[in-house]
Amino acid sequence: MSRRILVTGATGYVGGRLAPRLVEAGHHVRALARDPGRLRDAAWAGDVEIVQGDLEVLADVRRAVEGVDVVFHLVHAMSAGGDWAQAELVQAQHVAAAAKAAGVQRIVYLSGLHPQGQRLSKHLASRVAVGETLLASGVPTIVLEAGIVIGSGSASFEMIRHLTEVLPYMPAPRWVRNFVQPIAIRDVLHYLVAAAEVPGDVHGAFDIGGPDVLRYGQVMNGYAVEAGLPQRPIAPLPVLTPWLASQWVNLVTPVPRAIAMPLIGSLLHDCVVEEHRIDRVIPPPEGGLTGYRGAVRLALARERSGDIESSWRSASSAGAPSDPLPSDPKWSGSTVMEDARERVTSASPEAVWRVVESIGGDRGWYSVPLLWSIRGLADRLVGGVGLRRGRRDPVRLRAGDVVDFWRVERIDHGRLLRLRAEMRVPGRAWIEFTVEPAQLESGGSGARYRQRAIFLPSGLGGRLYWWSLVPAHHVIFEVMANRIVAAAEAEAR
């Protein structure tokens, strides 16, 4: 039966994969996003109704649920910093109240596996509180409590992957001996899609997990086997607290401290399936649930091919500015610092654009790698995102994508790319690339390449920051402009 479905968190890791699968299942899907522009370039954007709104604004939620049969609540706020647990609770309260008032027939929430009767980490306690709020809404609700989600682009998978690949020997906290029950993202999506059509009398929380129960140390070495790496000796250390462990993860993986801390906190418990009531409501996938190593193989294959539908990187980083560049920052009353470069080249606009769109990640920044690395490390040390986030796709970008410590704010394919800085800076920063056709002095045709670094400083500290970096910027941005044009010309040759 076709249903009218609202998906919150459609710009996130799970929501970005669920929305197109609900469409494939024949449902009418509405996606709620604070910034609809981040969904503009999604392959499925034309198949869904996209509405703008903030879950912390009750009026927005009421508008979003109007005429809806099912609400999928998939928003988590831990990457936003501050009192994210309180923010999650307020959002759940708004969804619960609006859904009840609108006559919604079903709420579905994705929570986390947790032990009963124990003091939980802040991360798991928040999941439980949100689930209980939705269950008390008066609307039939299904809360799916999942283990560690394994899939290309998931934060848990990235943490496992980088810890295992970077460290030949792992000093680890005692919780590496705790038991976990990972689940493949494809199986999570199976349960979520099926939950939309569960009869209305089903109400409650249900554990879901894959077929394998493993110690966390076995999870890391299971990855090593699938990645063709030697298994790593692991030494549990009693002094490595969750806070210290999160600093370590922040330095050696792309997962920033704001996300690493809650994830690590949830590993302080054994998190395994304690009941199998879900089997009476939603049968397992045809062919059975995917084992842990099978899920790793699938995730690695997707990452190696660059075919990553969604990623944890889509989540906004704590403290990162979210306001777009003013259309005319000088007239907006802001102090504007700018470094502008322009080149005319014999390469075609298409060739220049291909170089621009593939910037960052493994291909680097066509500049001075050492200086970029130092800036990335400095950002990690102060709790920023650093350079390790990379890219979702090595050659294609869409609005909302992460590129190292930048985020795509605007992209007009073939013409303009604007990146907003998410590193820690005393102000707001952007870098913008434009490409357009140009006539050469020789009479032929080519391209005009423009590059602008824009900084809106905050107070005296922001101004001193920019002025202190002017010499370095001169080198970095001059070399960048020259090498991007040279790379395009080399491709043409």
Side-chain angles (χ1 to χ4, degrees), residues 91-149:
Q91 292 167 358
Q93 290 168 343
H94 288 171
V95 170
K100 176 63 175 176
V104 169
Q105 300 169 17
R106 162 79 59 209
I107 297 174
V108 182
Y109 174 61
L110 182 62
S111 184
L113 279 179
H114 61 276
Q116 301 297 324
Q118 294 187 28
R119 182 183 175 89
L120 300 178
S121 68
K122 182 179 179 181
H123 170 55
L124 288 178
S126 178
R127 296 291 183 269
V128 172
V130 168
E132 290 175 346
T133 299
L134 298 175
L135 287 166
S137 65
V139 177
T141 298
I142 291 177
V143 176
L144 297 173
E145 299 180 339
I148 296 173
V149 177

Side-chain angles (χ1 to χ4, degrees), residues 318-326 334-337 375 379 405-406 409 419-431 454-467 469:
S322 58
D323 294 336
L325 177 69
S334 300
T335 299
V336 182
M337 309 295 191
R375 183 63 182 88
D379 196 54
F405 46 38
W406 306 85
E409 179 174 285
L419 305 177
R420 182 178 67 241
E422 291 196 341
M423 78 282 276
R424 299 294 178 91
V425 291
R428 294 185 289 151
W430 294 262
I431 187 166
I454 306 155
F455 184 62
L456 307 186
S458 176
L460 177 61
R463 289 161 173 77
L464 293 175
Y465 169 83
W466 176 267
W467 292 330
L469 290 175

Side-chain angles (χ1 to χ4, degrees), residues 168-481:
Y169 166 80
M170 279 186 275
R174 284 179 294 186
W175 47 254
V176 295
R177 292 181 174 171
N178 289 348
F179 287 100
V180 293
Q181 194 161 351
I183 183 169
I185 181 62
R186 57 167 51 193
D187 294 335
V188 172
L189 294 169
H190 162 78
Y191 286 115
L192 287 171
V193 172
E197 300 181 9
V198 168
D201 59 343
V202 176
H203 179 81
F206 302 86
D207 290 357
I208 61 173
D212 300 321
V213 177
L214 306 166
R215 295 186 187 274
Y216 197 76
Q218 292 175 307
V219 167
M220 290 190 280
N221 274 323
Y223 172 86
V225 171
E226 293 300 327
L229 301 170
Q231 294 199 44
R232 305 320 202 202
I234 299 172
L237 301 177
V239 296
L240 203 54
T241 66
W243 185 86
L244 286 173
S246 68
Q247 311 309 309
W248 182 239
V249 170
N250 177 64
L251 285 176
V252 302
T253 83
V255 181
R257 189 162 56 204
I259 295 178
M261 179 80 91
L263 288 179
I264 289 172
S266 66
L267 297 174
L268 299 177
H269 317 280
D270 289 337
C271 293
V272 298
V273 172
E274 296 179 348
E275 48 82 16
H276 296 272
R277 294 181 300 112
I278 190 65
D279 294 340
R280 299 196 296 268
V281 179
I282 301 173
E286 186 176 347
L289 295 165
T290 307
Y292 170 66
R293 286 177 54 180
V296 170
R297 281 195 297 274
L298 291 169
L300 286 173
R302 284 292 185 102
E303 296 218 341
R304 287 164 179 163
S305 68
D307 183 21
I308 301 176
E309 292 180 68
S310 61
S311 170
W312 65 271
R313 295 169 176 84
S314 300
S316 298
S317 300
S322 58
D323 294 336
L325 177 69
S327 57
D328 192 334
K330 293 180 181 178
W331 285 102
S332 72
S334 300
T335 299
V336 182
M337 309 295 191
E338 183 176 295
D339 183 287
R341 312 277 164 169
E342 180 177 318
R343 301 288 186 274
V344 175
T345 172
S346 59
S348 69
E350 294 77 15
V352 178
W353 178 255
R354 282 192 290 272
V355 176
V356 167
E357 192 175 7
S358 64
I359 201 166
D362 291 340
R363 298 198 183 189
W365 289 88
Y366 297 93
S367 188
V368 185
L370 178 61
L371 294 180
W372 282 96
S373 298
I374 291 172
R375 183 63 182 88
L377 178 59
D379 196 54
R380 300 291 286 190
L381 290 174
V382 297
V385 295
L387 287 172
R388 294 181 182 272
R389 292 189 300 178
R391 297 170 48 118
R392 177 190 57 84
D393 185 285
V395 294
R396 295 181 296 275
L397 290 176
R398 61 192 187 198
D401 271 0
V402 159
V403 185
D404 295 328
F405 46 38
W406 306 85
R407 186 178 298 275
V408 179
E409 179 174 285
R410 177 180 171 187
I411 181 167
D412 298 335
H413 288 278
R415 192 184 73 83
L416 180 143
L417 172 64
R418 182 185 299 151
L419 305 177
R420 182 178 67 241
E422 291 196 341
M423 78 282 276
R424 299 294 178 91
V425 291
R428 294 185 289 151
W430 294 262
I431 187 166
E432 185 178 82
F433 308 89
T434 58
V435 182
E436 58 187 30
Q439 289 296 121
L440 305 179
E441 292 183 358
S442 62
S445 60
R448 185 180 306 278
Y449 166 79
R450 291 191 178 96
Q451 169 188 302
R452 285 199 307 160
I454 306 155
F455 184 62
L456 307 186
S458 176
L460 177 61
R463 289 161 173 77
L464 293 175
Y465 169 83
W466 176 267
W467 292 330
S468 68
L469 290 175
V470 165
H473 284 168
H474 180 78
V475 174
I476 290 170
F477 294 130
E478 179 75 9
V479 172
M480 178 187 289

